[in-house]
Amino acid sequence: MLTFDENELQWAESIFRKIDAKMEKTLPRTKGVIPYRVENGKFENMVKKNICWWTNGFWEGLLWLLYSRTGKQAYREAAQQGETLLDGAFRNYPRLHHDVGFLWQLSAGLDYKLTGNSESRLRALFAASILMSRFNLDGGYIRAWNDYPDDDTSGWSIIDTMMNLSILYWASKELGDARFARVARAHADKSLHHHLRPDGSSKHIVVYDPQTGEELAERAGQGYACGSAWSRGQAWALYGFVISYHHTDKQEYLDASKRAANFFIASVQEDWLPRCDFRSPEQPVVYDASAGAIAACGLLELATLLPVEEGRCYKQAALHLLREMEAHFCDWNPDSDGILHYGSINYKEPEGRNRYLVYSDFFFTQAITKMLGSDLEIW
Ligand code: GLY
């Protein structure tokens, strides 16, 4: 059970007001834009650049978070504009990937939950069906990507997929059809045994034999190296497994989330500002605020589902992450885009390090609204 004292609530309320104030200024600059990262103070627009890009639902999700708390029509209208633009991704079906969950759960899915829009319901159901079609029946996993330079990715599973399972749990309930949730559970079971290491750290990419499902190899992904601990992947595991627990009551998923959380908490340094990889050299310092924001959401969810006494350490860890990131990473300048600085796309690409990223803003805002008691069922 999750409760906060007066000071904690006042702090969250003051941060929410700052987010709202900055987003009100940002909205007029972002008409027709689906933002990804910030270049020279301005959001990069993915509508023409790559409408299928995996992050294209977070902007709409952020706007729905703001709408659900403020009721301001401008947020709703902008979220619905983004959702309509995203239809271009359906028309590019061969380029779609496992992140159809992120794309449509946070855009159409939240629109349907908040407004009852029947077209949005259809979009979210199409997305769930696309995700289902990526399940490899012989291998027992959801295929992550289609293309990767010079590689056959048919056997590739990534820990990130755990976050996309929500749309399958939702579709099962919505249609009264158990198959979607069955596939979600099958993928979660496989990931539990193959992605999570005994020490609680997570592999980013696991390569299976697509005919048998046998694990063939671990691959380095966006972290420092093969065998390291990419912090965003760790956060996807932490949050993804507790979401699967929420939908299934399966104890192993809760235990997996706690293992991932314990590893995250043990690995984050004294300053609570997450590095991009928990097993990278001390220098250069590469932060990943998105990992901190995602982890904070997962930790708050753990604290919600666990008895107070057991959940306390997870709640405290979430508060440390949020407060330190707010103090050191947040940018409240109304004239530039992006809120939470120091997110990293990929450890190995210097230009991908220490950036403003739309998904950092989404998860940071989600954590703050969760502290304020939001009952919006996002995942
Ligand atoms: N899901 C892709 C990433 O976390 O970068």
Side-chain angles (χ1 to χ4, degrees):
M1 201 177 95
L2 189 61
T3 55
F4 294 98
D5 66 29
E6 206 46 46
N7 280 343
E8 291 162 347
L9 287 175
Q10 273 174 13
W11 177 80
E13 187 56 56
S14 75
I15 302 307
F16 184 81
R17 278 200 297 272
K18 288 189 197 178
I19 296 171
D20 182 28
K22 176 144 185 174
M23 285 295 287
E24 276 202 310
K25 296 279 184 204
T26 308
L27 265 198
R29 302 195 285 265
T30 50
K31 289 214 183 321
V33 175
I34 298 186
Y36 168 35
R37 57 191 171 186
V38 172
E39 301 276 8
N40 303 319
K42 292 267 161 291
F43 273 129
E44 181 179 18
N45 185 3
M46 298 310 280
V47 174
K48 290 238 160 56
K49 196 160 185 188
N50 184 355
I51 192 61
C52 295
W53 189 237
W54 75 276
T55 62
N56 285 352
F58 290 107
W59 177 245
E60 296 85 335
L62 173 58
L63 296 167
W64 285 120
L65 283 174
L66 290 159
Y67 171 73
S68 69
R69 186 154 181 92
T70 66
K72 291 179 187 168
Q73 288 304 312
Y75 290 134
R76 174 178 170 155
E77 282 161 22
Q80 289 180 328
Q81 275 166 17
E83 181 183 338
T84 308
L85 289 168
L86 209 48
D87 283 348
F90 281 130
R91 291 191 283 274
N92 272 288
Y93 170 79
R95 293 179 61 205
L96 284 173
H97 39 71
H98 74 127
D99 282 322
V100 289
F102 281 143
L103 260 57
W104 281 287
Q105 172 110 347
L106 301 177
S107 57
L110 289 182
D111 191 348
Y112 175 56
K113 282 175 190 165
L114 286 164
T115 74
N117 184 345
S118 57
E119 272 189 40
S120 301
R121 175 178 184 268
L122 277 184
R123 288 183 176 109
L125 288 173
F126 285 148
S129 301
I130 292 170
L131 190 55
M132 282 280 277
S133 75
R134 301 188 69 83
F135 186 70
N136 179 321
L137 199 57
D138 299 318
Y141 61 91
I142 291 174
R143 177 178 178 171
W145 297 317
N146 304 338
D147 320 303
Y148 204 78
D150 308 322
D151 268 308
D152 170 12
T153 58
S154 54
W156 287 27
S157 161
I158 65 174
I159 190 63
D160 322 29
T161 305
M162 286 303 302
M163 289 296 295
N164 286 314
L165 304 183
S166 299
I167 201 163
L168 299 179
Y169 293 122
W170 168 81
S172 262
K173 276 200 206 127
E174 191 63 24
L175 296 174
D177 181 338
R179 292 174 302 156
F180 294 84
R182 182 72 194 88
V183 162
R185 283 207 319 276
H187 181 85
D189 289 343
K190 185 96 183 167
S191 300
L192 184 62
H193 292 113
H194 293 271
H195 277 277
L196 215 56
R197 303 185 187 111
D199 67 0
S201 67
S202 171
K203 303 173 195 172
H204 184 193
I205 302 173
V206 171
V207 183
Y208 300 118
D209 180 326
Q211 266 81 48
T212 64
E214 182 197 350
E215 181 174 340
L216 300 178
E218 174 185 351
R219 294 276 305 236
Q222 284 150 256
Y224 170 64
C226 195
S228 72
W230 177 49
S231 60
R232 189 160 63 251
Q234 196 62 34
W236 293 142
L238 187 179
Y239 200 7
F241 279 112
V242 74
I243 289 168
S244 270
Y245 170 71
H246 167 74
H247 288 287
T248 61
D249 281 334
K250 189 166 172 170
Q251 182 66 32
E252 285 94 327
Y253 298 155
L254 181 63
D255 294 342
S257 174
K258 282 163 53 180
R259 265 165 61 204
N262 296 344
F263 182 87
F264 195 103
I265 295 168
S267 304
V268 76
Q269 299 195 14
E270 279 167 17
D271 61 12
W272 287 92
L273 300 173
R275 285 12 179 210
C276 177
D277 196 305
F278 292 131
R279 288 179 181 150
S280 61
E282 280 287 319
Q283 298 293 334
V285 177
V286 183
Y287 292 113
D288 188 9
S290 74
I294 297 158
C297 291
L299 291 164
L300 292 177
E301 188 63 25
L302 272 175
T304 306
L305 296 173
L306 290 167
V308 180
E309 295 74 16
E310 196 186 349
R312 193 179 298 125
C313 66
Y314 300 117
K315 174 191 139 176
Q316 290 307 340
L319 285 178
H320 280 304
L321 287 167
L322 293 169
R323 281 187 190 277
E324 294 306 321
M325 291 200 300
E326 195 279 324
H328 297 279
F329 290 167
C330 276
D331 176 350
W332 303 118
N333 174 4
D335 299 323
S336 60
D337 293 343
I339 295 167
L340 190 59
H341 199 187
Y342 292 98
S344 287
I345 299 163
N346 187 334
Y347 184 93
K348 291 184 220 66
E349 292 165 9
E351 72 280 7
R353 297 172 175 172
N354 298 326
R355 318 248 338 200
Y356 294 88
L357 300 167
V358 67
Y359 46 101
S360 302
D361 292 359
F362 169 80
F363 284 104
F364 184 73
T365 305
Q366 193 205 312
I368 297 296
T369 56
K370 201 163 168 53
M371 282 185 70
L372 293 171
S374 168
D375 59 0
L376 181 61
E377 191 168 334
I378 301 172
W379 305 103

